Amino acid sequence: MTVLLISRSDSAATWAAELRRQAPDMPLKVWPDDIDGLDPASVTYVIAAKPPPGEIARYPNVKAVLSLWAGVDHITADPDFPAHLPIARMVESGLTNGMREFVMAQALAAHLKLPDYLNQQRQQLWRPEIRGPHGTEPLVEEVTVGILGLGVMGEACARALADFGFPVVGWARSPKDIPGVESLCGDDGLETLLSRSRILVNLLPRTDATEDILNADLFAKLPEGAYLINVGRGEHLVEADLLQALDSGQLAGATLDVFREEPLPGKHPFWTHPAITVTPHIASITRVRTGVGRLRAAIESFERGETPEGVVDPKAGY
Ligand code: NDP
C-alpha cells in the first residue's frame, strides 16, 4: 500500500511534514518529488488538493481519493478523473469551527453595518444613523439569517447564529432537526427562506443543480437591502447580477470569499466596490493538525471495507 499526496496548494509541504510526524507508519509518497521510480500500481490511496488533470488516472489500483478540502470540485473538474473512485471530502473540527467563526463574524459585521462605518471613516464622515434613527437600531433578534446548505458547515453556522439570538432559517435537500433552526426544502422552501432573510449565507456545494443559484431572480426575492455572504463557491454567483442588485439597492452589501477566478483578477470591479468585502478564500481552511487524524481514520475505515463520513454521493455530486 502507498498513500500518495498530490497537492498543488501552498500547504503541500506542511501536510507532508505533519503526515510524517503524526502517522509515521503511513507509507507516504509526495507528488511530484517522490514520483521517479514509484510503481504506479502500488498507489492505493490518493490525498488530493487540486491535482493536475489526468494525474489520478495514472494510478490503476487506487481504492479511494481523500480530499484535503470540504468541496470536491477541485478533483471532479478533472475530465480524466476515474468516475468509479470513491471520494471522501474533508470533515474535521478545525475546518468546521473556522467556518462558524467566519460566518458569525461576517453576519455580525453586516448586522452592525461595520463595512459602511469603515467606508465613512475613510471619508471622515460622522453619520451614526445608518443603522436607523438613534434608539431604533435593530438587535439580532430582529434580523433573520437564511442559510443555503445545512450540511456540516451550514449546520455548525446555523447553530452558532441561533445560539447568539438570530432567527435562523436553513435550506437543504432533506429536512433537518436542528434546535432553534427552521428547516426548509424544495422550491417553496427556498422562496419562504428568501422572503425572510435579511442576511443570506451560501454554504452549498458546487454541483450542476447549484451553479449560478445566486442570481437576479434570487436577489429579487430577498427583502430590499439584504446582505449576501458567499462562502460556497464562486460558480454559485452570477457576478453581473450581484453588481446590478447592489447598484439598485436591492442588496445593501456582500461579503465574498470565493470567486470564479482565484486569485481575483486585479481589475475586477469587486475589489473596489464600496459595498463589497473581499476575502481571499480564507473563510475556513482545513487545519493540518486535526486534518491528519481524519485522513488516517478515513483510510483505516476504507481498509476495513466501511464507508467513512463524508463520502461523496456520485449521483448528487457532493
Ligand atoms: P455538505 O455536503 O456537508 O453539505 C451540503 C449541504 O448542501 C447539505 O445540507 C445539502 O443538503 C445541501 N444541498 C446540496 N445540494 C443542494 C440542492 N440542490 N438544493 C438544496 N440543498 C442542497 O458540505 P459542507 O457543509 O461540508 O460544505 C459545503 C460547501 O462549503 C463546500 O462544498 C464548499 O463549496 C464550501 N466551503 C467553503 C470554504 C471556504 O473557505 N470558503 C471552506 C469549506 C467549505 P442535504 O443535507 O439534504 O444533503
PDB file of all heavy atoms in Angstrom, residues 70-71 89-90 95 99 149-154 171-174 176 203-207 209-210 231-233 257-258 281-285 318, ligand 1:
ATOM      1  N   ALA A  70     -13.195  20.646   1.905  1.00  0.00           N
ATOM      2  CA  ALA A  70     -14.590  20.205   2.056  1.00  0.00           C
ATOM      3  C   ALA A  70     -15.246  20.005   0.694  1.00  0.00           C
ATOM      4  O   ALA A  70     -15.977  19.043   0.479  1.00  0.00           O
ATOM      5  CB  ALA A  70     -15.376  21.227   2.872  1.00  0.00           C
ATOM      6  N   GLY A  71     -14.997  20.922  -0.236  1.00  0.00           N
ATOM      7  CA  GLY A  71     -15.541  20.769  -1.580  1.00  0.00           C
ATOM      8  C   GLY A  71     -14.694  19.765  -2.360  1.00  0.00           C
ATOM      9  O   GLY A  71     -13.503  19.582  -2.060  1.00  0.00           O
ATOM     10  N   ARG A  89     -14.723  13.705   1.106  1.00  0.00           N
ATOM     11  CA  ARG A  89     -14.402  15.118   1.290  1.00  0.00           C
ATOM     12  C   ARG A  89     -13.891  15.324   2.710  1.00  0.00           C
ATOM     13  O   ARG A  89     -14.055  14.450   3.557  1.00  0.00           O
ATOM     14  CB  ARG A  89     -15.609  15.998   0.969  1.00  0.00           C
ATOM     15  CG  ARG A  89     -16.756  15.779   1.851  1.00  0.00           C
ATOM     16  CD  ARG A  89     -18.075  16.261   1.248  1.00  0.00           C
ATOM     17  NE  ARG A  89     -19.121  15.893   2.172  1.00  0.00           N
ATOM     18  CZ  ARG A  89     -19.338  16.531   3.311  1.00  0.00           C
ATOM     19  NH1 ARG A  89     -18.599  17.581   3.619  1.00  0.00           N
ATOM     20  NH2 ARG A  89     -20.267  16.125   4.133  1.00  0.00           N
ATOM     21  N   MET A  90     -13.277  16.462   2.972  1.00  0.00           N
ATOM     22  CA  MET A  90     -12.689  16.708   4.295  1.00  0.00           C
ATOM     23  C   MET A  90     -13.786  17.069   5.296  1.00  0.00           C
ATOM     24  O   MET A  90     -14.599  17.952   5.043  1.00  0.00           O
ATOM     25  CB  MET A  90     -11.651  17.824   4.199  1.00  0.00           C
ATOM     26  CG  MET A  90     -10.981  18.158   5.513  1.00  0.00           C
ATOM     27  SD  MET A  90     -10.220  16.757   6.389  1.00  0.00           S
ATOM     28  CE  MET A  90      -8.745  16.437   5.425  1.00  0.00           C
ATOM     29  N   LEU A  95     -11.824  22.773  10.408  1.00  0.00           N
ATOM     30  CA  LEU A  95     -12.478  23.351   9.228  1.00  0.00           C
ATOM     31  C   LEU A  95     -13.888  23.832   9.590  1.00  0.00           C
ATOM     32  O   LEU A  95     -14.297  24.949   9.232  1.00  0.00           O
ATOM     33  CB  LEU A  95     -12.539  22.281   8.135  1.00  0.00           C
ATOM     34  CG  LEU A  95     -13.137  22.625   6.783  1.00  0.00           C
ATOM     35  CD1 LEU A  95     -12.358  23.728   6.098  1.00  0.00           C
ATOM     36  CD2 LEU A  95     -13.176  21.378   5.890  1.00  0.00           C
ATOM     37  N   MET A  99     -15.155  27.881   9.929  1.00  0.00           N
ATOM     38  CA  MET A  99     -16.273  28.439   9.151  1.00  0.00           C
ATOM     39  C   MET A  99     -17.298  29.089  10.072  1.00  0.00           C
ATOM     40  O   MET A  99     -17.830  30.164   9.773  1.00  0.00           O
ATOM     41  CB  MET A  99     -16.930  27.332   8.315  1.00  0.00           C
ATOM     42  CG  MET A  99     -18.032  27.826   7.409  1.00  0.00           C
ATOM     43  SD  MET A  99     -17.448  29.055   6.215  1.00  0.00           S
ATOM     44  CE  MET A  99     -16.803  27.978   4.930  1.00  0.00           C
ATOM     45  N   GLY A 149     -27.869  25.485   2.378  1.00  0.00           N
ATOM     46  CA  GLY A 149     -26.987  24.358   2.691  1.00  0.00           C
ATOM     47  C   GLY A 149     -26.912  24.172   4.196  1.00  0.00           C
ATOM     48  O   GLY A 149     -26.432  25.056   4.902  1.00  0.00           O
ATOM     49  N   LEU A 150     -27.430  23.041   4.656  1.00  0.00           N
ATOM     50  CA  LEU A 150     -27.387  22.740   6.100  1.00  0.00           C
ATOM     51  C   LEU A 150     -26.591  21.461   6.311  1.00  0.00           C
ATOM     52  O   LEU A 150     -27.006  20.561   7.037  1.00  0.00           O
ATOM     53  CB  LEU A 150     -28.798  22.576   6.660  1.00  0.00           C
ATOM     54  CG  LEU A 150     -29.569  23.856   6.977  1.00  0.00           C
ATOM     55  CD1 LEU A 150     -30.975  23.532   7.486  1.00  0.00           C
ATOM     56  CD2 LEU A 150     -28.831  24.730   7.989  1.00  0.00           C
ATOM     57  N   GLY A 151     -25.438  21.382   5.635  1.00  0.00           N
ATOM     58  CA  GLY A 151     -24.564  20.227   5.831  1.00  0.00           C
ATOM     59  C   GLY A 151     -23.659  20.471   7.024  1.00  0.00           C
ATOM     60  O   GLY A 151     -24.018  21.180   7.968  1.00  0.00           O
ATOM     61  N   VAL A 152     -22.453  19.911   6.959  1.00  0.00           N
ATOM     62  CA  VAL A 152     -21.534  20.025   8.097  1.00  0.00           C
ATOM     63  C   VAL A 152     -21.275  21.497   8.418  1.00  0.00           C
ATOM     64  O   VAL A 152     -21.381  21.942   9.567  1.00  0.00           O
ATOM     65  CB  VAL A 152     -20.210  19.291   7.779  1.00  0.00           C
ATOM     66  CG1 VAL A 152     -19.213  19.486   8.903  1.00  0.00           C
ATOM     67  CG2 VAL A 152     -20.474  17.810   7.542  1.00  0.00           C
ATOM     68  N   MET A 153     -20.968  22.289   7.394  1.00  0.00           N
ATOM     69  CA  MET A 153     -20.657  23.708   7.606  1.00  0.00           C
ATOM     70  C   MET A 153     -21.916  24.504   7.956  1.00  0.00           C
ATOM     71  O   MET A 153     -21.928  25.280   8.908  1.00  0.00           O
ATOM     72  CB  MET A 153     -20.074  24.345   6.331  1.00  0.00           C
ATOM     73  CG  MET A 153     -18.830  23.732   5.829  1.00  0.00           C
ATOM     74  SD  MET A 153     -17.466  24.136   6.896  1.00  0.00           S
ATOM     75  CE  MET A 153     -16.518  22.675   6.646  1.00  0.00           C
ATOM     76  N   GLY A 154     -22.962  24.313   7.144  1.00  0.00           N
ATOM     77  CA  GLY A 154     -24.181  25.091   7.338  1.00  0.00           C
ATOM     78  C   GLY A 154     -24.791  24.846   8.706  1.00  0.00           C
ATOM     79  O   GLY A 154     -25.226  25.783   9.385  1.00  0.00           O
ATOM     80  N   TRP A 171     -31.897  25.884   4.404  1.00  0.00           N
ATOM     81  CA  TRP A 171     -32.451  25.186   3.230  1.00  0.00           C
ATOM     82  C   TRP A 171     -31.505  24.056   2.824  1.00  0.00           C
ATOM     83  O   TRP A 171     -30.283  24.264   2.730  1.00  0.00           O
ATOM     84  CB  TRP A 171     -32.588  26.178   2.075  1.00  0.00           C
ATOM     85  CG  TRP A 171     -33.265  25.664   0.843  1.00  0.00           C
ATOM     86  CD1 TRP A 171     -34.560  25.272   0.724  1.00  0.00           C
ATOM     87  CD2 TRP A 171     -32.694  25.523  -0.462  1.00  0.00           C
ATOM     88  NE1 TRP A 171     -34.835  24.903  -0.570  1.00  0.00           N
ATOM     89  CE2 TRP A 171     -33.704  25.050  -1.317  1.00  0.00           C
ATOM     90  CE3 TRP A 171     -31.430  25.761  -0.991  1.00  0.00           C
ATOM     91  CZ2 TRP A 171     -33.501  24.805  -2.670  1.00  0.00           C
ATOM     92  CZ3 TRP A 171     -31.217  25.516  -2.344  1.00  0.00           C
ATOM     93  CH2 TRP A 171     -32.242  25.041  -3.183  1.00  0.00           C
ATOM     94  N   ALA A 172     -32.061  22.881   2.637  1.00  0.00           N
ATOM     95  CA  ALA A 172     -31.253  21.727   2.201  1.00  0.00           C
ATOM     96  C   ALA A 172     -32.148  20.831   1.352  1.00  0.00           C
ATOM     97  O   ALA A 172     -33.343  21.112   1.189  1.00  0.00           O
ATOM     98  CB  ALA A 172     -30.726  20.972   3.416  1.00  0.00           C
ATOM     99  N   ARG A 173     -31.588  19.757   0.828  1.00  0.00           N
ATOM    100  CA  ARG A 173     -32.429  18.846   0.040  1.00  0.00           C
ATOM    101  C   ARG A 173     -33.333  18.013   0.945  1.00  0.00           C
ATOM    102  O   ARG A 173     -34.439  17.658   0.585  1.00  0.00           O
ATOM    103  CB  ARG A 173     -31.549  17.947  -0.820  1.00  0.00           C
ATOM    104  CG  ARG A 173     -30.912  18.723  -1.986  1.00  0.00           C
ATOM    105  CD  ARG A 173     -30.544  17.820  -3.130  1.00  0.00           C
ATOM    106  NE  ARG A 173     -29.749  16.714  -2.668  1.00  0.00           N
ATOM    107  CZ  ARG A 173     -29.637  15.556  -3.306  1.00  0.00           C
ATOM    108  NH1 ARG A 173     -30.288  15.349  -4.417  1.00  0.00           N
ATOM    109  NH2 ARG A 173     -28.859  14.609  -2.815  1.00  0.00           N
ATOM    110  N   SER A 174     -32.798  17.678   2.155  1.00  0.00           N
ATOM    111  CA  SER A 174     -33.584  16.848   3.084  1.00  0.00           C
ATOM    112  C   SER A 174     -33.834  17.628   4.375  1.00  0.00           C
ATOM    113  O   SER A 174     -33.015  18.470   4.756  1.00  0.00           O
ATOM    114  CB  SER A 174     -32.825  15.560   3.393  1.00  0.00           C
ATOM    115  OG  SER A 174     -31.507  15.874   3.815  1.00  0.00           O
ATOM    116  N   LYS A 176     -34.089  18.838   8.248  1.00  0.00           N
ATOM    117  CA  LYS A 176     -33.148  18.709   9.375  1.00  0.00           C
ATOM    118  C   LYS A 176     -33.874  19.001  10.670  1.00  0.00           C
ATOM    119  O   LYS A 176     -34.866  19.738  10.677  1.00  0.00           O
ATOM    120  CB  LYS A 176     -32.000  19.723   9.249  1.00  0.00           C
ATOM    121  CG  LYS A 176     -31.322  19.772   7.914  1.00  0.00           C
ATOM    122  CD  LYS A 176     -30.502  18.542   7.661  1.00  0.00           C
ATOM    123  CE  LYS A 176     -29.974  18.552   6.238  1.00  0.00           C
ATOM    124  NZ  LYS A 176     -29.728  17.237   5.690  1.00  0.00           N
ATOM    125  N   LEU A 203     -23.825  28.288   1.722  1.00  0.00           N
ATOM    126  CA  LEU A 203     -22.896  27.190   2.073  1.00  0.00           C
ATOM    127  C   LEU A 203     -23.292  25.917   1.340  1.00  0.00           C
ATOM    128  O   LEU A 203     -23.254  24.821   1.901  1.00  0.00           O
ATOM    129  CB  LEU A 203     -22.888  26.974   3.586  1.00  0.00           C
ATOM    130  CG  LEU A 203     -21.838  27.837   4.311  1.00  0.00           C
ATOM    131  CD1 LEU A 203     -22.078  27.874   5.794  1.00  0.00           C
ATOM    132  CD2 LEU A 203     -20.420  27.339   4.012  1.00  0.00           C
ATOM    133  N   LEU A 204     -23.668  26.097   0.076  1.00  0.00           N
ATOM    134  CA  LEU A 204     -23.993  24.940  -0.766  1.00  0.00           C
ATOM    135  C   LEU A 204     -22.710  24.406  -1.390  1.00  0.00           C
ATOM    136  O   LEU A 204     -21.753  25.151  -1.577  1.00  0.00           O
ATOM    137  CB  LEU A 204     -24.947  25.357  -1.882  1.00  0.00           C
ATOM    138  CG  LEU A 204     -26.386  25.699  -1.461  1.00  0.00           C
ATOM    139  CD1 LEU A 204     -27.099  26.419  -2.595  1.00  0.00           C
ATOM    140  CD2 LEU A 204     -27.134  24.427  -1.065  1.00  0.00           C
ATOM    141  N   PRO A 205     -22.709  23.131  -1.760  1.00  0.00           N
ATOM    142  CA  PRO A 205     -21.586  22.638  -2.568  1.00  0.00           C
ATOM    143  C   PRO A 205     -21.804  23.027  -4.026  1.00  0.00           C
ATOM    144  O   PRO A 205     -22.942  23.317  -4.425  1.00  0.00           O
ATOM    145  CB  PRO A 205     -21.686  21.124  -2.399  1.00  0.00           C
ATOM    146  CG  PRO A 205     -23.139  20.865  -2.150  1.00  0.00           C
ATOM    147  CD  PRO A 205     -23.704  22.088  -1.470  1.00  0.00           C
ATOM    148  N   ARG A 206     -20.753  23.027  -4.798  1.00  0.00           N
ATOM    149  CA  ARG A 206     -20.894  23.324  -6.233  1.00  0.00           C
ATOM    150  C   ARG A 206     -21.312  22.054  -6.969  1.00  0.00           C
ATOM    151  O   ARG A 206     -20.553  21.075  -7.009  1.00  0.00           O
ATOM    152  CB  ARG A 206     -19.568  23.826  -6.791  1.00  0.00           C
ATOM    153  CG  ARG A 206     -19.646  24.116  -8.267  1.00  0.00           C
ATOM    154  CD  ARG A 206     -18.277  24.429  -8.829  1.00  0.00           C
ATOM    155  NE  ARG A 206     -18.322  24.505 -10.265  1.00  0.00           N
ATOM    156  CZ  ARG A 206     -17.255  24.550 -11.037  1.00  0.00           C
ATOM    157  NH1 ARG A 206     -16.045  24.518 -10.502  1.00  0.00           N
ATOM    158  NH2 ARG A 206     -17.379  24.613 -12.343  1.00  0.00           N
ATOM    159  N   THR A 207     -22.516  22.076  -7.511  1.00  0.00           N
ATOM    160  CA  THR A 207     -22.988  20.957  -8.326  1.00  0.00           C
ATOM    161  C   THR A 207     -23.728  21.546  -9.526  1.00  0.00           C
ATOM    162  O   THR A 207     -23.967  22.762  -9.579  1.00  0.00           O
ATOM    163  CB  THR A 207     -23.991  20.056  -7.552  1.00  0.00           C
ATOM    164  OG1 THR A 207     -25.182  20.826  -7.309  1.00  0.00           O
ATOM    165  CG2 THR A 207     -23.426  19.565  -6.231  1.00  0.00           C
ATOM    166  N   ALA A 209     -26.760  21.404 -10.022  1.00  0.00           N
ATOM    167  CA  ALA A 209     -28.028  21.979  -9.538  1.00  0.00           C
ATOM    168  C   ALA A 209     -27.844  23.310  -8.822  1.00  0.00           C
ATOM    169  O   ALA A 209     -28.809  24.052  -8.670  1.00  0.00           O
ATOM    170  CB  ALA A 209     -28.717  20.987  -8.604  1.00  0.00           C
ATOM    171  N   THR A 210     -26.637  23.602  -8.359  1.00  0.00           N
ATOM    172  CA  THR A 210     -26.465  24.813  -7.550  1.00  0.00           C
ATOM    173  C   THR A 210     -25.678  25.920  -8.257  1.00  0.00           C
ATOM    174  O   THR A 210     -25.630  27.047  -7.779  1.00  0.00           O
ATOM    175  CB  THR A 210     -25.743  24.507  -6.216  1.00  0.00           C
ATOM    176  OG1 THR A 210     -24.416  24.030  -6.507  1.00  0.00           O
ATOM    177  CG2 THR A 210     -26.492  23.464  -5.404  1.00  0.00           C
ATOM    178  N   VAL A 231     -19.797  32.037   0.854  1.00  0.00           N
ATOM    179  CA  VAL A 231     -18.620  31.261   1.249  1.00  0.00           C
ATOM    180  C   VAL A 231     -18.654  29.870   0.605  1.00  0.00           C
ATOM    181  O   VAL A 231     -17.883  28.996   0.972  1.00  0.00           O
ATOM    182  CB  VAL A 231     -18.519  31.131   2.791  1.00  0.00           C
ATOM    183  CG1 VAL A 231     -17.878  32.360   3.400  1.00  0.00           C
ATOM    184  CG2 VAL A 231     -19.869  30.869   3.429  1.00  0.00           C
ATOM    185  N   GLY A 232     -19.621  29.681  -0.325  1.00  0.00           N
ATOM    186  CA  GLY A 232     -19.724  28.380  -1.005  1.00  0.00           C
ATOM    187  C   GLY A 232     -18.661  28.274  -2.085  1.00  0.00           C
ATOM    188  O   GLY A 232     -17.507  27.898  -1.814  1.00  0.00           O
ATOM    189  N   ARG A 233     -19.030  28.653  -3.300  1.00  0.00           N
ATOM    190  CA  ARG A 233     -18.091  28.657  -4.419  1.00  0.00           C
ATOM    191  C   ARG A 233     -18.400  29.848  -5.323  1.00  0.00           C
ATOM    192  O   ARG A 233     -19.550  30.266  -5.427  1.00  0.00           O
ATOM    193  CB  ARG A 233     -18.204  27.350  -5.236  1.00  0.00           C
ATOM    194  CG  ARG A 233     -17.542  26.157  -4.570  1.00  0.00           C
ATOM    195  CD  ARG A 233     -16.029  26.251  -4.615  1.00  0.00           C
ATOM    196  NE  ARG A 233     -15.356  25.118  -4.004  1.00  0.00           N
ATOM    197  CZ  ARG A 233     -14.886  25.077  -2.753  1.00  0.00           C
ATOM    198  NH1 ARG A 233     -15.044  26.112  -1.957  1.00  0.00           N
ATOM    199  NH2 ARG A 233     -14.249  24.012  -2.290  1.00  0.00           N
ATOM    200  N   ASP A 257     -16.022  35.456  -0.401  1.00  0.00           N
ATOM    201  CA  ASP A 257     -14.762  34.770  -0.060  1.00  0.00           C
ATOM    202  C   ASP A 257     -14.286  33.883  -1.195  1.00  0.00           C
ATOM    203  O   ASP A 257     -13.133  33.454  -1.203  1.00  0.00           O
ATOM    204  CB  ASP A 257     -14.989  33.919   1.200  1.00  0.00           C
ATOM    205  CG  ASP A 257     -13.719  33.207   1.647  1.00  0.00           C
ATOM    206  OD1 ASP A 257     -12.738  33.916   1.947  1.00  0.00           O
ATOM    207  OD2 ASP A 257     -13.712  31.956   1.674  1.00  0.00           O
ATOM    208  N   VAL A 258     -15.197  33.586  -2.139  1.00  0.00           N
ATOM    209  CA  VAL A 258     -14.885  32.659  -3.231  1.00  0.00           C
ATOM    210  C   VAL A 258     -15.265  33.299  -4.559  1.00  0.00           C
ATOM    211  O   VAL A 258     -16.216  34.078  -4.630  1.00  0.00           O
ATOM    212  CB  VAL A 258     -15.644  31.327  -3.031  1.00  0.00           C
ATOM    213  CG1 VAL A 258     -15.021  30.504  -1.919  1.00  0.00           C
ATOM    214  CG2 VAL A 258     -17.119  31.566  -2.725  1.00  0.00           C
ATOM    215  N   HIS A 281     -10.521  33.627  -0.165  1.00  0.00           N
ATOM    216  CA  HIS A 281     -10.837  32.210   0.053  1.00  0.00           C
ATOM    217  C   HIS A 281     -10.196  31.692   1.359  1.00  0.00           C
ATOM    218  O   HIS A 281      -9.448  30.716   1.341  1.00  0.00           O
ATOM    219  CB  HIS A 281     -10.403  31.338  -1.142  1.00  0.00           C
ATOM    220  CG  HIS A 281     -11.158  30.035  -1.207  1.00  0.00           C
ATOM    221  ND1 HIS A 281     -11.517  29.432  -2.387  1.00  0.00           N
ATOM    222  CD2 HIS A 281     -11.629  29.220  -0.237  1.00  0.00           C
ATOM    223  CE1 HIS A 281     -12.165  28.304  -2.146  1.00  0.00           C
ATOM    224  NE2 HIS A 281     -12.246  28.149  -0.824  1.00  0.00           N
ATOM    225  N   ILE A 282     -10.487  32.418   2.426  1.00  0.00           N
ATOM    226  CA  ILE A 282      -9.941  32.035   3.732  1.00  0.00           C
ATOM    227  C   ILE A 282     -11.035  31.799   4.768  1.00  0.00           C
ATOM    228  O   ILE A 282     -10.736  31.712   5.965  1.00  0.00           O
ATOM    229  CB  ILE A 282      -8.954  33.091   4.297  1.00  0.00           C
ATOM    230  CG1 ILE A 282      -9.504  34.518   4.168  1.00  0.00           C
ATOM    231  CG2 ILE A 282      -7.615  32.993   3.606  1.00  0.00           C
ATOM    232  CD1 ILE A 282     -10.591  34.903   5.099  1.00  0.00           C
ATOM    233  N   ALA A 283     -12.302  31.735   4.308  1.00  0.00           N
ATOM    234  CA  ALA A 283     -13.400  31.607   5.283  1.00  0.00           C
ATOM    235  C   ALA A 283     -13.074  30.480   6.253  1.00  0.00           C
ATOM    236  O   ALA A 283     -13.172  30.635   7.460  1.00  0.00           O
ATOM    237  CB  ALA A 283     -14.712  31.341   4.576  1.00  0.00           C
ATOM    238  N   SER A 284     -12.668  29.349   5.709  1.00  0.00           N
ATOM    239  CA  SER A 284     -12.154  28.305   6.593  1.00  0.00           C
ATOM    240  C   SER A 284     -11.169  27.431   5.835  1.00  0.00           C
ATOM    241  O   SER A 284     -11.320  27.184   4.654  1.00  0.00           O
ATOM    242  CB  SER A 284     -13.273  27.446   7.158  1.00  0.00           C
ATOM    243  OG  SER A 284     -12.723  26.653   8.181  1.00  0.00           O
ATOM    244  N   ILE A 285     -10.175  27.003   6.563  1.00  0.00           N
ATOM    245  CA  ILE A 285      -9.094  26.215   5.984  1.00  0.00           C
ATOM    246  C   ILE A 285      -9.019  24.923   6.803  1.00  0.00           C
ATOM    247  O   ILE A 285      -9.172  24.968   8.031  1.00  0.00           O
ATOM    248  CB  ILE A 285      -7.736  26.950   6.161  1.00  0.00           C
ATOM    249  CG1 ILE A 285      -7.836  28.436   5.772  1.00  0.00           C
ATOM    250  CG2 ILE A 285      -6.612  26.242   5.423  1.00  0.00           C
ATOM    251  CD1 ILE A 285      -7.966  28.725   4.320  1.00  0.00           C
ATOM    252  N   TYR A 318     -22.081  15.661  -4.480  1.00  0.00           N
ATOM    253  CA  TYR A 318     -21.473  16.264  -3.299  1.00  0.00           C
ATOM    254  C   TYR A 318     -21.500  15.296  -2.126  1.00  0.00           C
ATOM    255  O   TYR A 318     -22.172  14.277  -2.208  1.00  0.00           O
ATOM    256  CB  TYR A 318     -22.190  17.553  -2.906  1.00  0.00           C
ATOM    257  CG  TYR A 318     -23.578  17.373  -2.346  1.00  0.00           C
ATOM    258  CD1 TYR A 318     -23.809  17.347  -0.964  1.00  0.00           C
ATOM    259  CD2 TYR A 318     -24.682  17.191  -3.188  1.00  0.00           C
ATOM    260  CE1 TYR A 318     -25.090  17.163  -0.450  1.00  0.00           C
ATOM    261  CE2 TYR A 318     -25.943  17.023  -2.678  1.00  0.00           C
ATOM    262  CZ  TYR A 318     -26.147  17.000  -1.316  1.00  0.00           C
ATOM    263  OH  TYR A 318     -27.416  16.808  -0.809  1.00  0.00           O
TER     264      TYR A 318
HETATM  265  P1  NDP B   1     -22.087  19.102   2.973  1.00  0.00           P
HETATM  266  O1  NDP B   1     -22.056  18.141   1.842  1.00  0.00           O
HETATM  267  O2  NDP B   1     -21.980  18.590   4.376  1.00  0.00           O
HETATM  268  O3  NDP B   1     -23.442  19.967   2.912  1.00  0.00           O
HETATM  269  C1  NDP B   1     -24.014  20.407   1.734  1.00  0.00           C
HETATM  270  C2  NDP B   1     -25.415  20.932   2.058  1.00  0.00           C
HETATM  271  O4  NDP B   1     -25.983  21.493   0.881  1.00  0.00           O
HETATM  272  C3  NDP B   1     -26.359  19.820   2.526  1.00  0.00           C
HETATM  273  O5  NDP B   1     -27.215  20.295   3.544  1.00  0.00           O
HETATM  274  C4  NDP B   1     -27.182  19.531   1.264  1.00  0.00           C
HETATM  275  O6  NDP B   1     -28.485  19.022   1.512  1.00  0.00           O
HETATM  276  C5  NDP B   1     -27.256  20.912   0.655  1.00  0.00           C
HETATM  277  N1  NDP B   1     -27.524  20.842  -0.791  1.00  0.00           N
HETATM  278  C6  NDP B   1     -26.735  20.301  -1.765  1.00  0.00           C
HETATM  279  N2  NDP B   1     -27.318  20.429  -2.966  1.00  0.00           N
HETATM  280  C7  NDP B   1     -28.491  21.063  -2.745  1.00  0.00           C
HETATM  281  C8  NDP B   1     -29.568  21.467  -3.594  1.00  0.00           C
HETATM  282  N3  NDP B   1     -29.531  21.254  -4.920  1.00  0.00           N
HETATM  283  N4  NDP B   1     -30.626  22.068  -3.035  1.00  0.00           N
HETATM  284  C9  NDP B   1     -30.691  22.280  -1.692  1.00  0.00           C
HETATM  285  N5  NDP B   1     -29.700  21.921  -0.826  1.00  0.00           N
HETATM  286  C10 NDP B   1     -28.635  21.320  -1.363  1.00  0.00           C
HETATM  287  O7  NDP B   1     -20.931  20.169   2.685  1.00  0.00           O
HETATM  288  P2  NDP B   1     -20.152  21.101   3.723  1.00  0.00           P
HETATM  289  O8  NDP B   1     -21.158  21.725   4.632  1.00  0.00           O
HETATM  290  O9  NDP B   1     -19.009  20.382   4.317  1.00  0.00           O
HETATM  291  O10 NDP B   1     -19.535  22.194   2.717  1.00  0.00           O
HETATM  292  C11 NDP B   1     -20.391  22.963   1.900  1.00  0.00           C
HETATM  293  C12 NDP B   1     -19.580  23.776   0.921  1.00  0.00           C
HETATM  294  O11 NDP B   1     -18.937  24.848   1.579  1.00  0.00           O
HETATM  295  C13 NDP B   1     -18.422  23.039   0.238  1.00  0.00           C
HETATM  296  O12 NDP B   1     -18.881  22.246  -0.826  1.00  0.00           O
HETATM  297  C14 NDP B   1     -17.562  24.179  -0.233  1.00  0.00           C
HETATM  298  O13 NDP B   1     -18.011  24.598  -1.505  1.00  0.00           O
HETATM  299  C15 NDP B   1     -17.849  25.279   0.779  1.00  0.00           C
HETATM  300  N6  NDP B   1     -16.677  25.521   1.641  1.00  0.00           N
HETATM  301  C16 NDP B   1     -16.021  26.722   1.507  1.00  0.00           C
HETATM  302  C17 NDP B   1     -14.924  27.002   2.290  1.00  0.00           C
HETATM  303  C18 NDP B   1     -14.265  28.344   2.206  1.00  0.00           C
HETATM  304  O14 NDP B   1     -13.209  28.551   2.815  1.00  0.00           O
HETATM  305  N7  NDP B   1     -14.834  29.289   1.532  1.00  0.00           N
HETATM  306  C19 NDP B   1     -14.397  26.030   3.258  1.00  0.00           C
HETATM  307  C20 NDP B   1     -15.189  24.827   3.349  1.00  0.00           C
HETATM  308  C21 NDP B   1     -16.280  24.601   2.560  1.00  0.00           C
HETATM  309  P3  NDP B   1     -28.711  17.605   2.288  1.00  0.00           P
HETATM  310  O15 NDP B   1     -28.249  17.846   3.720  1.00  0.00           O
HETATM  311  O16 NDP B   1     -30.162  17.379   2.213  1.00  0.00           O
HETATM  312  O17 NDP B   1     -27.863  16.602   1.566  1.00  0.00           O
END
